Coordinates of all heavy atoms in Angstrom, one line a residue:
N1 N 156.5 76.6 10.3 CA 157.4 75.4 10.5 C 156.8 74.3 11.3 O 157.5 73.6 12.0 CB 158.7 75.9 11.1 CG 159.5 76.7 10.2 OD1 159.4 76.7 9.0 ND2 160.4 77.6 10.7
K2 N 155.5 74.3 11.3 CA 154.8 73.3 12.1 C 154.6 72.0 11.3 O 154.4 72.0 10.1 CB 153.4 73.8 12.3 CG 152.7 73.2 13.5 CD 151.4 73.9 13.7 CE 151.0 74.0 15.2 NZ 149.7 74.6 15.5
E3 N 154.8 70.9 12.0 CA 154.6 69.6 11.3 C 153.1 69.3 11.1 O 152.3 69.5 12.0 CB 155.2 68.5 12.1 CG 156.6 68.1 11.7 CD 157.1 66.9 12.4 OE1 156.4 65.8 12.4 OE2 158.2 66.9 12.9
I4 N 152.8 68.8 10.0 CA 151.4 68.5 9.7 C 151.2 67.0 9.8 O 152.0 66.3 9.1 CB 150.9 69.0 8.3 CG1 151.1 70.6 8.3 CG2 149.5 68.6 8.0 CD1 150.8 71.2 7.0
K5 N 150.2 66.5 10.5 CA 150.0 65.1 10.7 C 149.3 64.6 9.4 O 148.4 65.1 8.9 CB 149.1 64.8 11.9 CG 149.7 65.0 13.2 CD 148.8 64.6 14.3 CE 149.3 64.8 15.6 NZ 148.4 64.4 16.7
V6 N 149.9 63.5 8.9 CA 149.3 62.8 7.8 C 149.2 61.3 8.2 O 150.2 60.8 8.7 CB 150.1 62.9 6.5 CG1 149.5 62.1 5.4 CG2 150.2 64.4 6.1
P7 N 148.1 60.6 8.1 CA 146.9 61.1 7.5 C 146.1 62.0 8.4 O 146.3 62.1 9.6 CB 146.1 59.8 7.2 CG 146.6 58.9 8.2 CD 148.0 59.2 8.5
H8 N 145.2 62.8 7.7 CA 144.2 63.7 8.4 C 143.1 62.8 8.9 O 142.3 62.4 8.0 CB 143.8 64.8 7.5 CG 142.7 65.6 7.9 ND1 142.0 66.4 7.0 CD2 142.2 65.9 9.1 CE1 141.1 67.1 7.7 NE2 141.2 66.8 9.0
V9 N 143.0 62.5 10.1 CA 141.9 61.7 10.7 C 141.2 62.5 11.8 O 141.9 62.9 12.7 CB 142.4 60.4 11.3 CG1 141.3 59.6 11.9 CG2 143.1 59.6 10.2
G10 N 139.9 62.7 11.6 CA 139.2 63.4 12.7 C 138.1 64.3 12.2 O 137.8 64.3 11.0
W11 N 137.5 65.0 13.1 CA 136.4 65.9 12.8 C 136.8 67.3 12.5 O 137.7 67.8 13.2 CB 135.4 65.9 14.0 CG 134.8 64.6 14.3 CD1 135.3 63.6 15.0 CD2 133.5 64.1 13.8 NE1 134.4 62.5 15.0 CE2 133.3 62.8 14.3 CE3 132.6 64.7 13.0 CZ2 132.2 62.1 14.0 CZ3 131.4 64.0 12.7 CH2 131.3 62.7 13.1
N12 N 136.3 67.9 11.4 CA 136.6 69.3 11.1 C 135.3 69.9 10.6 O 134.5 69.3 9.9 CB 137.6 69.3 10.0 CG 139.0 69.2 10.5 OD1 139.5 68.1 10.5 ND2 139.6 70.3 10.9
E13 N 135.2 71.2 10.8 CA 134.1 72.0 10.3 C 134.3 72.4 8.9 O 135.4 72.5 8.4 CB 133.9 73.3 11.1 CG 133.5 73.0 12.6 CD 134.5 73.6 13.5 OE1 135.4 74.2 13.1 OE2 134.3 73.3 14.8
I14 N 133.2 72.5 8.1 CA 133.3 72.9 6.7 C 132.7 74.3 6.6 O 131.7 74.7 7.3 CB 132.7 71.9 5.7 CG1 131.2 71.7 6.0 CG2 133.4 70.6 5.8 CD1 130.5 70.9 4.9
Y15 N 133.2 75.1 5.6 CA 132.7 76.4 5.3 C 132.7 76.7 3.8 O 133.4 76.0 3.1 CB 133.7 77.5 6.0 CG 133.8 77.3 7.5 CD1 134.8 76.6 8.1 CD2 132.8 77.9 8.3 CE1 134.8 76.4 9.5 CE2 132.8 77.8 9.7 CZ 133.8 77.0 10.2 OH 133.9 76.9 11.6
P16 N 131.9 77.6 3.4 CA 131.9 77.9 1.9 C 133.3 78.4 1.5 O 134.0 79.0 2.2 CB 130.9 79.1 1.8 CG 130.0 79.0 3.0 CD 130.9 78.4 4.1
S17 N 133.7 78.0 0.3 CA 134.9 78.4 -0.3 C 134.9 79.9 -0.6 O 133.8 80.5 -0.5 CB 135.3 77.6 -1.5 OG 134.4 78.0 -2.6
K18 N 136.0 80.5 -0.9 CA 136.0 82.0 -1.2 C 135.0 82.3 -2.3 O 134.5 83.4 -2.4 CB 137.4 82.4 -1.6 CG 138.4 82.3 -0.5 CD 139.8 82.7 -1.0 CE 140.8 82.4 0.1 NZ 142.2 82.6 -0.4
N19 N 134.9 81.4 -3.2 CA 134.0 81.6 -4.4 C 132.6 81.5 -4.2 O 131.7 81.8 -5.0 CB 134.5 80.7 -5.6 CG 135.9 80.8 -5.8 OD1 136.5 81.9 -5.8 ND2 136.6 79.7 -6.1
K20 N 132.2 80.9 -3.1 CA 130.8 80.5 -2.8 C 130.3 81.3 -1.6 O 130.9 81.2 -0.5 CB 130.6 79.0 -2.6 CG 131.1 78.2 -3.7 CD 130.3 78.4 -5.0 CE 130.8 77.6 -6.1 NZ 130.3 77.9 -7.4
Q21 N 129.3 82.1 -1.7 CA 128.7 82.8 -0.6 C 127.6 82.1 0.1 O 127.3 82.3 1.2 CB 128.2 84.2 -1.1 CG 129.3 85.1 -1.7 CD 130.4 85.4 -0.6 OE1 130.1 85.7 0.5 NE2 131.6 85.2 -1.1
E22 N 127.0 81.2 -0.6 CA 125.9 80.4 0.0 C 125.9 79.0 -0.7 O 126.5 78.8 -1.7 CB 124.6 81.1 -0.2 CG 124.1 81.2 -1.6 CD 122.8 81.8 -1.8 OE1 122.5 82.7 -1.0 OE2 122.0 81.2 -2.6
W23 N 125.2 78.1 0.0 CA 125.1 76.8 -0.6 C 123.6 76.6 -0.9 O 122.8 76.5 0.0 CB 125.5 75.7 0.4 CG 126.9 75.7 0.7 CD1 128.0 76.2 0.0 CD2 127.5 75.3 1.9 NE1 129.2 76.0 0.6 CE2 128.9 75.5 1.8 CE3 127.0 74.7 3.1 CZ2 129.8 75.1 2.8 CZ3 127.9 74.4 4.1 CH2 129.3 74.6 4.0
S24 N 123.2 76.6 -2.1 CA 121.8 76.4 -2.5 C 121.8 75.5 -3.7 O 122.6 75.5 -4.6 CB 121.1 77.7 -2.8 OG 121.8 78.4 -3.8
N25 N 120.8 74.7 -3.8 CA 120.6 73.7 -4.9 C 121.8 72.8 -5.1 O 122.1 72.4 -6.2 CB 120.3 74.5 -6.2 CG 119.0 75.3 -6.1 OD1 118.0 74.9 -5.5 ND2 119.1 76.5 -6.6
K26 N 122.4 72.5 -4.0 CA 123.6 71.6 -4.0 C 123.3 70.5 -2.9 O 122.3 70.5 -2.2 CB 124.9 72.3 -3.7 CG 125.1 73.5 -4.7 CD 125.6 72.9 -6.0 CE 126.0 74.1 -7.0 NZ 126.3 73.6 -8.3
I27 N 124.3 69.7 -2.7 CA 124.2 68.7 -1.6 C 124.4 69.4 -0.3 O 124.1 68.8 0.7 CB 125.2 67.5 -1.8 CG1 126.7 68.0 -1.8 CG2 124.9 66.7 -3.1 CD1 127.7 66.9 -1.8
L28 N 124.9 70.6 -0.3 CA 125.1 71.3 1.0 C 124.0 72.4 1.1 O 123.6 73.0 0.1 CB 126.4 72.0 1.0 CG 127.6 71.1 0.9 CD1 128.9 71.9 0.8 CD2 127.7 70.2 2.1
K29 N 123.5 72.6 2.3 CA 122.5 73.7 2.6 C 123.2 74.6 3.6 O 124.1 74.2 4.3 CB 121.2 73.1 3.1 CG 120.6 72.0 2.3 CD 119.9 72.6 1.1 CE 119.1 71.5 0.4 NZ 118.6 71.9 -0.9
N30 N 122.7 75.8 3.6 CA 123.3 76.8 4.5 C 123.3 76.4 6.0 O 124.1 76.8 6.8 CB 122.6 78.2 4.4 CG 123.0 78.9 3.1 OD1 124.0 78.5 2.4 ND2 122.2 79.8 2.7
S31 N 122.4 75.5 6.3 CA 122.3 75.0 7.7 C 123.6 74.2 8.1 O 123.8 73.9 9.3 CB 121.1 74.2 7.9 OG 121.1 73.1 7.1
L32 N 124.4 73.8 7.1 CA 125.5 72.9 7.4 C 126.8 73.8 7.5 O 127.9 73.2 7.8 CB 125.7 71.9 6.2 CG 124.6 70.8 6.2 CD1 124.8 70.0 4.9 CD2 124.7 70.0 7.4
I33 N 126.7 75.1 7.3 CA 127.9 75.9 7.5 C 128.4 75.8 8.9 O 127.7 76.0 9.8 CB 127.6 77.4 7.1 CG1 127.3 77.5 5.6 CG2 128.8 78.3 7.5 CD1 126.9 78.9 5.2
G34 N 129.7 75.5 9.0 CA 130.3 75.4 10.4 C 130.1 74.1 11.1 O 130.5 73.9 12.2
K35 N 129.4 73.1 10.4 CA 129.2 71.8 11.0 C 130.4 70.9 10.8 O 131.1 71.1 9.9 CB 127.9 71.2 10.4 CG 126.7 72.0 10.6 CD 126.2 72.0 12.0 CE 125.0 72.9 12.2 NZ 124.0 72.4 13.1
S36 N 130.5 69.9 11.7 CA 131.6 69.0 11.7 C 131.3 67.8 10.9 O 130.2 67.3 10.9 CB 132.0 68.6 13.1 OG 132.6 69.7 13.8
F37 N 132.4 67.3 10.2 CA 132.3 66.1 9.4 C 133.6 65.3 9.6 O 134.6 65.8 10.0 CB 132.2 66.4 7.9 CG 130.9 67.1 7.6 CD1 130.7 68.4 7.7 CD2 129.8 66.3 7.2 CE1 129.5 69.1 7.4 CE2 128.5 66.9 7.0 CZ 128.4 68.3 7.1
Y38 N 133.5 64.0 9.4 CA 134.6 63.1 9.7 C 135.5 62.9 8.5 O 135.0 62.4 7.5 CB 134.0 61.7 10.2 CG 135.1 60.8 10.8 CD1 135.7 61.2 12.0 CD2 135.6 59.7 10.1 CE1 136.7 60.4 12.5 CE2 136.6 58.9 10.6 CZ 137.1 59.3 11.8 OH 138.1 58.5 12.3
F39 N 136.7 63.3 8.6 CA 137.7 63.2 7.6 C 138.7 62.0 7.8 O 139.1 61.8 9.0 CB 138.5 64.5 7.5 CG 137.8 65.6 6.9 CD1 136.9 66.4 7.7 CD2 138.0 66.0 5.6 CE1 136.2 67.4 7.2 CE2 137.3 67.1 5.1 CZ 136.4 67.8 5.9
V40 N 139.0 61.3 6.8 CA 140.1 60.3 6.9 C 140.7 60.3 5.5 O 140.2 59.8 4.5 CB 139.6 58.9 7.1 CG1 140.7 57.9 7.1 CG2 138.8 58.8 8.4
H41 N 141.9 61.0 5.4 CA 142.6 61.0 4.1 C 144.1 61.4 4.3 O 144.4 61.9 5.3 CB 141.9 62.0 3.1 CG 142.0 63.4 3.6 ND1 143.0 64.3 3.3 CD2 141.2 64.1 4.4 CE1 142.8 65.5 3.8 NE2 141.7 65.4 4.6
S42 N 144.9 61.1 3.3 CA 146.3 61.4 3.4 C 146.7 62.2 2.1 O 147.9 62.2 1.8 CB 147.1 60.1 3.5 OG 146.9 59.3 2.4
F43 N 145.8 62.8 1.5 CA 146.1 63.7 0.3 C 145.1 64.8 0.2 O 144.1 64.8 0.9 CB 146.1 62.8 -1.0 CG 144.7 62.3 -1.3 CD1 143.8 63.1 -2.1 CD2 144.2 61.1 -0.8 CE1 142.5 62.6 -2.4 CE2 143.0 60.7 -1.1 CZ 142.1 61.4 -1.9
I44 N 145.5 65.8 -0.6 CA 144.6 67.0 -0.8 C 144.4 67.0 -2.3 O 145.3 67.1 -3.1 CB 145.3 68.3 -0.3 CG1 145.6 68.2 1.1 CG2 144.4 69.5 -0.7 CD1 146.5 69.4 1.6
G45 N 143.1 67.0 -2.7 CA 142.7 67.1 -4.1 C 142.5 68.6 -4.4 O 141.6 69.2 -3.8
I46 N 143.3 69.1 -5.3 CA 143.1 70.5 -5.7 C 142.4 70.6 -7.0 O 142.8 69.8 -8.0 CB 144.5 71.2 -5.8 CG1 145.3 71.1 -4.5 CG2 144.4 72.6 -6.3 CD1 144.7 71.8 -3.3
T47 N 141.4 71.4 -7.1 CA 140.6 71.5 -8.4 C 141.3 72.5 -9.3 O 142.0 73.4 -8.9 CB 139.2 72.0 -8.1 OG1 139.3 73.3 -7.4 CG2 138.4 71.1 -7.2
K48 N 141.2 72.2 -10.6 CA 141.8 73.0 -11.7 C 141.0 74.3 -11.7 O 141.5 75.4 -11.9 CB 141.8 72.4 -13.0 CG 142.8 71.3 -13.2 CD 142.8 70.7 -14.6 CE 143.8 69.6 -14.7 NZ 143.8 69.0 -16.0
D49 N 139.6 74.2 -11.6 CA 138.8 75.4 -11.6 C 138.4 75.7 -10.2 O 137.6 74.9 -9.5 CB 137.5 75.0 -12.4 CG 136.5 76.2 -12.4 OD1 136.8 77.3 -11.9 OD2 135.4 76.0 -13.0
P50 N 138.8 76.8 -9.6 CA 138.5 77.2 -8.2 C 137.0 77.2 -8.0 O 136.5 77.0 -6.8 CB 139.1 78.5 -8.0 CG 140.1 78.7 -9.1 CD 139.6 77.8 -10.2
N51 N 136.2 77.5 -9.0 CA 134.7 77.6 -8.8 C 134.1 76.2 -8.5 O 133.0 76.1 -8.1 CB 134.1 78.2 -10.0 CG 134.4 79.6 -10.1 OD1 134.4 80.4 -9.2 ND2 134.7 80.1 -11.3
S52 N 134.9 75.1 -8.8 CA 134.4 73.8 -8.5 C 134.5 73.4 -7.0 O 133.8 72.5 -6.5 CB 135.3 72.7 -9.2 OG 135.1 72.9 -10.6
T53 N 135.2 74.2 -6.2 CA 135.3 73.9 -4.8 C 134.2 74.7 -4.1 O 134.2 75.9 -4.2 CB 136.7 74.4 -4.2 OG1 137.7 73.7 -4.9 CG2 136.8 74.1 -2.7
I54 N 133.2 74.0 -3.5 CA 132.1 74.7 -2.9 C 132.2 74.7 -1.4 O 131.6 75.5 -0.7 CB 130.8 74.1 -3.3 CG1 130.6 72.6 -3.0 CG2 130.5 74.3 -4.8 CD1 129.3 72.0 -3.3
A55 N 133.1 73.9 -0.8 CA 133.3 73.9 0.6 C 134.8 73.6 0.9 O 135.4 72.8 0.2 CB 132.4 73.0 1.4
I56 N 135.3 74.2 2.0 CA 136.6 73.9 2.5 C 136.6 73.6 4.0 O 135.6 73.8 4.7 CB 137.6 75.1 2.2 CG1 137.0 76.4 2.9 CG2 137.8 75.4 0.8 CD1 137.7 76.8 4.1
C57 N 137.7 72.9 4.4 CA 137.9 72.8 5.8 C 139.3 73.3 6.1 O 140.2 73.4 5.2 CB 137.8 71.4 6.3 SG 139.2 70.3 6.1
N58 N 139.6 73.8 7.3 CA 140.9 74.3 7.6 C 141.6 73.2 8.4 O 141.1 72.7 9.5 CB 140.8 75.6 8.4 CG 140.3 76.7 7.6 OD1 140.7 76.9 6.5 ND2 139.3 77.4 8.1
Y59 N 142.8 72.8 8.0 CA 143.6 71.8 8.6 C 145.0 72.4 8.8 O 145.7 72.6 7.8 CB 143.6 70.5 7.8 CG 144.4 69.4 8.4 CD1 143.9 68.8 9.6 CD2 145.5 68.9 7.9 CE1 144.6 67.8 10.2 CE2 146.2 67.8 8.5 CZ 145.7 67.3 9.7 OH 146.4 66.3 10.3
F60 N 145.4 72.7 10.0 CA 146.6 73.3 10.3 C 146.8 74.6 9.5 O 147.8 74.8 8.9 CB 147.8 72.4 10.1 CG 148.0 71.3 11.2 CD1 147.5 70.1 11.0 CD2 148.6 71.6 12.4 CE1 147.6 69.1 12.0 CE2 148.8 70.7 13.4 CZ 148.2 69.4 13.2
N61 N 145.8 75.4 9.5 CA 145.7 76.7 8.7 C 145.9 76.6 7.2 O 146.3 77.5 6.6 CB 146.8 77.7 9.3 CG 146.5 78.1 10.7 OD1 145.3 78.3 11.0 ND2 147.5 78.2 11.6
I62 N 145.6 75.4 6.7 CA 145.6 75.2 5.3 C 144.2 74.9 4.9 O 143.5 74.1 5.5 CB 146.5 73.9 4.9 CG1 147.9 74.1 5.3 CG2 146.4 73.6 3.4 CD1 148.8 72.9 5.1
S63 N 143.7 75.6 3.9 CA 142.3 75.4 3.4 C 142.3 74.2 2.4 O 143.0 74.3 1.4 CB 141.8 76.7 2.6 OG 141.6 77.7 3.6
I64 N 141.6 73.2 2.8 CA 141.5 72.0 2.0 C 140.1 71.9 1.3 O 139.1 72.1 2.0 CB 141.7 70.7 2.9 CG1 143.1 70.8 3.5 CG2 141.5 69.5 2.1 CD1 143.3 69.7 4.5
P65 N 140.1 71.6 0.0 CA 138.8 71.4 -0.6 C 138.1 70.3 0.1 O 138.6 69.2 0.2 CB 139.1 71.1 -2.0 CG 140.4 71.7 -2.3 CD 141.1 71.5 -1.0
A66 N 136.9 70.5 0.7 CA 136.1 69.5 1.4 C 135.0 68.9 0.5 O 134.6 67.8 0.6 CB 135.5 70.1 2.7
V67 N 134.4 69.8 -0.3 CA 133.3 69.4 -1.3 C 133.6 70.1 -2.6 O 133.8 71.3 -2.6 CB 131.9 69.7 -0.7 CG1 130.8 69.3 -1.7 CG2 131.7 69.2 0.6
I68 N 133.5 69.3 -3.7 CA 133.6 69.8 -5.0 C 132.4 69.5 -5.8 O 131.7 68.6 -5.5 CB 134.9 69.3 -5.7 CG1 134.9 67.8 -5.8 CG2 136.2 69.8 -5.0 CD1 135.1 67.3 -7.2
S69 N 132.2 70.3 -6.8 CA 131.0 70.1 -7.7 C 131.4 70.6 -9.1 O 131.9 71.7 -9.3 CB 129.8 71.0 -7.2 OG 128.8 70.9 -8.1
A70 N 131.2 69.7 -10.1 CA 131.4 70.1 -11.5 C 130.2 69.4 -12.3 O 130.1 68.2 -12.2 CB 132.7 69.6 -12.0
N71 N 129.5 70.3 -12.9 CA 128.3 69.8 -13.7 C 127.4 69.0 -12.7 O 126.9 69.5 -11.7 CB 128.7 69.0 -14.9 CG 129.5 69.8 -15.8 OD1 129.2 71.0 -16.1 ND2 130.6 69.3 -16.4
N72 N 127.2 67.7 -13.0 CA 126.3 66.9 -12.1 C 127.1 65.9 -11.2 O 126.6 64.9 -10.8 CB 125.3 66.1 -12.9 CG 125.9 65.1 -13.9 OD1 127.1 65.2 -14.1 ND2 125.1 64.3 -14.4
V73 N 128.4 66.2 -11.0 CA 129.2 65.4 -10.2 C 129.6 66.1 -8.9 O 130.0 67.3 -8.9 CB 130.5 65.0 -10.9 CG1 131.5 64.2 -10.1 CG2 130.2 64.3 -12.2
F74 N 129.5 65.4 -7.8 CA 129.8 65.9 -6.4 C 130.8 65.0 -5.8 O 130.8 63.8 -6.0 CB 128.6 66.0 -5.5 CG 127.6 67.0 -6.0 CD1 126.5 66.6 -6.8 CD2 127.6 68.3 -5.7 CE1 125.5 67.5 -7.2 CE2 126.7 69.2 -6.1 CZ 125.6 68.8 -6.9
G75 N 131.7 65.6 -5.1 CA 132.7 64.8 -4.3 C 133.0 65.4 -3.0 O 133.0 66.6 -2.8
C76 N 133.2 64.5 -2.0 CA 133.4 65.0 -0.6 C 134.8 64.4 -0.2 O 135.1 63.2 -0.4 CB 132.4 64.4 0.4 SG 130.7 65.0 0.0
Q77 N 135.6 65.2 0.4 CA 136.9 64.7 1.0 C 136.6 64.0 2.3 O 137.4 63.2 2.7 CB 137.8 65.9 1.2 CG 139.2 65.6 1.7 CD 140.1 64.9 0.6 OE1 139.8 65.1 -0.5 NE2 141.1 64.3 1.1
F78 N 135.5 64.2 3.0 CA 135.2 63.6 4.2 C 134.2 62.4 3.9 O 133.8 62.2 2.8 CB 134.5 64.6 5.2 CG 133.3 65.3 4.6 CD1 132.1 64.7 4.6 CD2 133.5 66.5 4.0 CE1 131.0 65.4 4.1 CE2 132.4 67.2 3.5 CZ 131.2 66.6 3.5
H79 N 133.8 61.7 4.9 CA 133.0 60.6 4.8 C 131.6 60.9 5.3 O 131.4 61.0 6.6 CB 133.5 59.4 5.6 CG 134.7 58.8 5.0 ND1 134.7 57.7 4.2 CD2 136.0 59.1 5.1 CE1 135.9 57.4 3.8 NE2 136.7 58.3 4.4
P80 N 130.6 61.2 4.5 CA 129.2 61.5 4.9 C 128.7 60.4 5.8 O 128.0 60.6 6.8 CB 128.4 61.7 3.7 CG 129.4 62.0 2.6 CD 130.7 61.3 3.0
E81 N 128.9 59.2 5.4 CA 128.3 58.0 6.0 C 128.9 57.8 7.5 O 128.3 57.1 8.2 CB 128.5 56.7 5.2 CG 129.9 56.1 5.3 CD 131.0 56.8 4.4 OE1 130.7 57.9 3.8 OE2 132.1 56.3 4.4
K82 N 130.0 58.5 7.8 CA 130.6 58.4 9.1 C 130.4 59.7 9.9 O 131.0 59.9 11.0 CB 132.0 58.0 9.0 CG 132.3 56.6 8.5 CD 133.8 56.3 8.4 CE 133.9 54.9 7.9 NZ 135.3 54.5 8.0
S83 N 129.6 60.6 9.3 CA 129.5 62.0 9.9 C 128.2 62.2 10.6 O 127.8 63.4 10.7 CB 129.7 63.0 8.8 OG 131.0 62.9 8.3
G84 N 127.6 61.2 11.1 CA 126.4 61.4 11.9 C 125.2 62.1 11.2 O 125.0 61.9 10.0
D85 N 124.5 62.9 11.9 CA 123.3 63.6 11.4 C 123.7 64.6 10.3 O 123.0 64.7 9.3 CB 122.6 64.4 12.5 CG 121.9 63.5 13.5 OD1 121.6 62.3 13.1 OD2 121.6 64.0 14.6
N86 N 124.9 65.2 10.4 CA 125.3 66.1 9.3 C 125.5 65.4 8.0 O 125.2 65.8 6.9 CB 126.6 66.9 9.7 CG 126.3 67.7 10.9 OD1 125.2 68.2 11.1 ND2 127.4 67.9 11.7
G87 N 126.1 64.2 8.1 CA 126.4 63.4 6.9 C 125.1 62.9 6.3 O 124.9 62.8 5.1
L88 N 124.1 62.5 7.2 CA 122.8 62.0 6.7 C 122.1 63.2 6.0 O 121.4 62.9 4.9 CB 122.0 61.5 7.9 CG 122.4 60.2 8.5 CD1 121.6 59.9 9.7 CD2 122.3 59.1 7.5
E89 N 122.2 64.4 6.4 CA 121.6 65.5 5.7 C 122.2 65.7 4.3 O 121.4 65.9 3.4 CB 121.8 66.8 6.5 CG 121.0 67.9 5.9 CD 121.0 69.2 6.8 OE1 121.3 69.1 8.0 OE2 120.6 70.3 6.2
I90 N 123.5 65.5 4.2 CA 124.1 65.6 2.9 C 123.6 64.5 2.0 O 123.3 64.7 0.8 CB 125.6 65.5 3.0 CG1 126.2 66.9 3.5 CG2 126.3 65.2 1.6 CD1 127.6 67.0 3.6
L91 N 123.5 63.3 2.5 CA 123.0 62.2 1.7 C 121.5 62.4 1.3 O 121.1 62.1 0.1 CB 123.2 60.9 2.4 CG 124.6 60.5 2.7 CD1 124.7 59.2 3.6 CD2 125.4 60.2 1.4
R92 N 120.7 63.0 2.2 CA 119.3 63.3 1.8 C 119.3 64.4 0.7 O 118.5 64.3 -0.2 CB 118.6 63.8 3.1 CG 117.9 62.7 3.9 CD 117.0 63.3 4.9 NE 117.6 64.1 5.9 CZ 118.2 63.7 7.0 NH1 118.3 62.5 7.3 NH2 118.8 64.6 7.8
N93 N 120.1 65.4 0.9 CA 120.2 66.5 -0.1 C 120.5 65.9 -1.5 O 120.0 66.3 -2.5 CB 121.2 67.6 0.3 CG 120.7 68.3 1.6 OD1 119.6 68.3 2.0 ND2 121.7 68.9 2.2
F94 N 121.5 65.0 -1.5 CA 121.9 64.4 -2.7 C 120.8 63.7 -3.4 O 120.6 63.8 -4.6 CB 123.1 63.4 -2.5 CG 123.6 62.8 -3.7 CD1 124.4 63.5 -4.6 CD2 123.3 61.5 -4.0 CE1 124.8 62.9 -5.8 CE2 123.7 60.8 -5.2 CZ 124.5 61.6 -6.1
C95 N 120.0 63.0 -2.6 CA 118.8 62.2 -3.2 C 117.8 63.1 -3.7 O 117.0 62.7 -4.6 CB 118.2 61.3 -2.1 SG 119.3 59.9 -1.7
E96 N 117.7 64.4 -3.3 CA 116.7 65.3 -3.7 C 117.1 66.1 -5.0 O 116.3 66.8 -5.5 CB 116.4 66.3 -2.6 CG 115.7 65.7 -1.4 CD 115.5 66.6 -0.2 OE1 115.9 67.8 -0.3 OE2 115.0 66.1 0.8
I97 N 118.3 66.0 -5.4 CA 118.8 66.7 -6.6 C 118.2 66.1 -7.8 O 118.1 65.0 -8.0 CB 120.3 66.8 -6.7 CG1 120.9 67.6 -5.5 CG2 120.8 67.3 -8.0 CD1 122.4 67.6 -5.4

């Protein structure tokens, strides 16, 4: 019965989703597990295919898809460009794909 603040603004750590044990050959690398990223959003995008969610963040004990991947498309719920060194690493990884 806890009120959830919307919009979700702030830093949260990301972790592999239940379906993903590691991050390899993606925009995420294992070195980013548990690192913080800057979120600014007021909605939760739920994927039709749970295998598309490669990372989640926990917001008030709710697992939110943080990074999705389908074929050659990637999407982040957070802002890599506002996430300091961790965001820069994601952008570098994207350029290397």
Side-chain angles (χ1 to χ4, degrees):
N1 293 335
K2 202 176 212 183
E3 266 189 48
I4 297 174
K5 289 184 180 182
V6 176
H8 171 200
V9 177
W11 294 87
N12 280 93
E13 293 121 3
I14 63 170
Y15 298 96
S17 70
K18 293 177 188 174
N19 305 319
K20 303 294 177 194
Q21 297 302 313
E22 65 176 43
W23 295 332
S24 58
N25 301 319
K26 302 285 184 186
I27 61 172
L28 300 174
K29 305 283 185 190
N30 287 342
S31 61
L32 294 171
I33 292 173
K35 300 291 179 143
S36 292
F37 294 86
Y38 190 71
F39 289 79
V40 179
H41 63 93
S42 57
F43 64 92
I44 299 170
I46 304 296
T47 57
K48 288 183 182 180
D49 177 5
N51 291 319
S52 295
T53 302
I54 59 175
I56 54 106
C57 82
N58 293 311
Y59 185 65
F60 286 97
N61 295 322
I62 298 171
S63 290
I64 296 172
V67 181
I68 58 124
S69 172
N71 300 318
N72 64 345
V73 176
F74 295 93
C76 299
Q77 184 72 20
F78 54 85
H79 290 266
E81 77 282 3
K82 295 182 179 186
S83 296
D85 290 339
N86 298 330
L88 288 173
E89 186 172 343
I90 285 179
L91 295 173
R92 272 192 298 276
N93 294 341
F94 180 76
C95 290
E96 292 174 1
I97 293 177

